[in-house]
Amino acid sequence: MLVQKRAPVDAGALSPWQFAWLAKLFLWLARSVDERGWEEPAHRYLHMAAETSQELPVDRPALLGGTSGLALVVESFFREEPRYQKARQALHAQVAEQVLARTWRRPEPGVDAEDYDLVLGASGILGCLVSLDAPATAVDKAIRTLLNYLVWLAGVDTPGRERWFVPPRHFNHERRHRSTPRGYVDLGLAHGVAGPLAALSLAWQAGYRIDGHREAIERLSRWLLAQRLTDPWGPHWPEEIPYDLAMRTSGPPQQGDEVSLSRPSWCYGEPGVATALWLAGSAMEDEGPCRTAVASLEGVFRRPFVDPRNPYQLCSPTVCHGVGGLLAISLRFAALSGSEVIRAQIPGLVGNILDACDPDLPLGVQDQEVPGNFVDDPGFLTGAAGVALVLLAASTSTPPNWDRTLLIA
């Protein structure tokens, strides 16, 4: 089974972040099913997260693996039990201090994707902080700091070399020196420009607005829309655009251009980009980006499949790069857009995930980022907790507001 009421792992084996997401999973089980008894392991796992953080301090404000992510988990518990007020306040103060202590703008052109992205950077942190109830003054100041940075990031110094351009000095994989030796711009939701667009849009909808904010959302939307590729089934996007192509001002990549095409996942590809465009269109009350977003996600399901054993072109059932993330996004789009094409695919997505589950596995399911390389992971993005949460969202009426961690709503 994916979940059990006793703690299945040794406290020394996991990080505070992993324990926190196991706590979140059991809290959502308590909210979603009639059977009693899920609350106790939820609180126990949260206690384990707190204990482990004493030995492995969380020293960065990141949404996924950092202080703001822990704050989002504790917020869920606090909304039901005031006894978490002290822990909540401490985390709010910690994330604000970490955000305000950092210099966000780099003095030289270009950025490291970790400066602004959803996983470790400003986009994810901002998306978390604007969802907190009645944040303290320090948190509000951190929100304004992140907003100012992302609005600045959305500007352009040189056409084709946007401020979110990643130069070679910030590459963290050797393959990038071979594939994009002069740098690149990233389009994905997890590590690319779709992340800042989603975060700025969510902040706008939450009532946090600064000078240049609207223009930043509109500029990033236009840029993403201008990079779309089209085929008979709908619009889609590459993972990234190399520097030489980005500097070309004649439009999106063309037939024959060397761009890395994306799998239809949360982190990269149409589902993540469509999410950012939907949020932007909703924030700006502009139906254009919303229509493109729906057409893009519908295209994922209309496109012919090359491998019938892998009908969604995804080899893992997990959230980040697998079917779990596609299902989470499809659930939101089915509810918000009313698309029957998307709604009709949900049973198949659920079935695909269930086919990957095995009660004989240690955690019931495994991640498979690289075909043939199976990993037991209890966590959220690439593990069993995320898979279980997505299946709960598909099978119960409890609103999955944990998906703010993915910046999809």
Side-chain angles (χ1 to χ4, degrees):
M1 295 177 66
L2 286 175
V3 293
Q4 50 187 315
K5 291 180 183 177
R6 62 181 178 83
V9 291
D10 175 55
L14 302 182
S15 69
W17 171 255
Q18 289 171 312
F19 278 125
W21 269 98
L22 286 171
K24 186 93 162 184
L25 167 59
F26 283 92
L27 179 66
W28 242 255
L29 276 163
R31 289 178 173 179
S32 304
V33 300
D34 293 332
E35 183 183 357
R36 291 183 173 274
W38 298 113
E39 296 89 347
E40 190 275 332
H43 295 293
R44 182 149 37 95
Y45 276 125
L46 192 61
H47 182 69
M48 288 180 180
E51 283 189 335
T52 311
S53 68
Q54 301 303 309
E55 300 174 8
L56 299 170
V58 183
D59 57 2
R60 59 187 179 184
L63 176 57
L64 289 155
T67 313
S68 64
L70 290 178
L72 204 55
V73 172
V74 170
E75 191 79 6
S76 299
F77 282 82
F78 167 74
R79 287 172 181 171
E80 298 192 1
E81 297 199 32
R83 65 176 160 136
Y84 288 104
Q85 170 75 355
K86 186 176 179 180
R88 176 181 184 263
Q89 290 175 336
L91 281 167
H92 286 196
Q94 187 176 357
V95 70
E97 180 181 0
Q98 290 171 344
V99 168
L100 297 173
R102 176 169 174 174
T103 301
W104 289 93
R105 294 192 197 182
R106 292 182 178 269
E108 70 280 2
V111 295
D112 187 326
E114 293 182 1
D115 295 344
Y116 69 83
D117 75 1
L118 189 159
V119 174
L120 297 175
S123 298
I125 304 165
L126 178 63
C128 163
L129 296 186
V130 299
S131 73
L132 301 178
D133 292 335
T137 301
V139 172
D140 189 75
K141 188 175 180 182
I143 289 171
R144 304 291 168 178
T145 297
L146 295 167
L147 272 175
N148 276 291
Y149 169 66
L150 290 178
V151 167
W152 168 84
L153 185 77
V156 177
D157 293 322
T158 303
R161 184 163 177 160
E162 283 73 14
R163 287 177 181 160
W164 57 91
F165 165 78
V166 180
R169 64 179 172 275
H170 295 309
F171 288 178
N172 53 14
H173 295 291
E174 181 58 35
R175 69 173 179 83
R176 293 214 177 275
H177 290 281
R178 299 189 298 270
S179 61
T180 57
R182 299 183 64 192
Y184 67 98
V185 289
D186 194 308
L187 281 74
L189 182 59
H191 303 294
V193 70
L197 178 58
L200 288 168
S201 301
L202 289 168
W204 183 277
Q205 291 176 320
Y208 295 95
R209 301 174 184 182
I210 65 171
D211 290 344
H213 194 160
R214 172 181 284 277
E215 291 78 9
I217 293 173
E218 292 173 343
R219 187 182 304 116
L220 293 178
S221 296
R222 286 195 303 270
W223 188 86
L224 266 176
L225 289 168
Q227 310 311 312
R228 68 185 182 271
L229 307 169
T230 56
D231 63 20
W233 301 280
H236 58 108
W237 285 264
E239 282 191 11
E240 60 195 30
I241 299 178
Y243 171 82
D244 292 329
L245 293 183
M247 287 296 290
R248 187 180 65 192
T249 58
S250 58
Q254 305 296 315
Q255 185 87 17
D257 286 340
E258 293 187 9
V259 295
S260 53
L261 297 180
S262 302
R263 51 192 170 186
S265 60
W266 166 79
C267 55
Y268 283 101
E270 298 87 78
V273 176
T275 294
L277 289 171
W278 176 274
L279 291 172
S282 299
M284 298 291 99
E285 299 181 346
D286 182 353
E287 293 184 2
C290 293
R291 285 195 298 268
T292 300
V294 173
S296 175
L297 191 56
E298 289 180 345
V300 169
F301 301 115
R302 287 175 168 149
R303 226 166 252 113
F305 303 124
V306 177
D307 183 355
R309 297 167 300 176
N310 180 17
Y312 302 107
Q313 307 170 54
L314 301 168
C315 64
S316 180
T318 53
V319 169
C320 178
H321 43 261
V323 182
L326 177 57
L327 174 56
I329 290 173
S330 297
L331 288 168
R332 282 295 186 181
F333 267 76
L336 296 173
S337 74
S339 169
E340 291 302 324
V341 172
I342 297 171
R343 187 181 304 278
Q345 299 300 319
I346 289 173
L349 292 167
V350 171
N352 187 277
I353 294 173
L354 292 176
D355 287 344
C357 296
D358 183 347
D360 293 329
L361 292 172
L363 298 169
V365 71
Q366 294 176 313
D367 183 34
Q368 188 185 187
E369 183 171 7
V370 179
N373 182 24
F374 294 93
V375 178
D376 295 310
D377 181 348
F380 172 62
L381 265 191
T382 58
V387 173
L389 281 165
V390 173
L391 290 175
L392 276 174
S395 58
T396 70
S397 59
T398 305
N401 59 15
W402 50 262
D403 61 9
R404 171 53 61 102
T405 310
L406 303 172
L407 265 60
I408 64 177

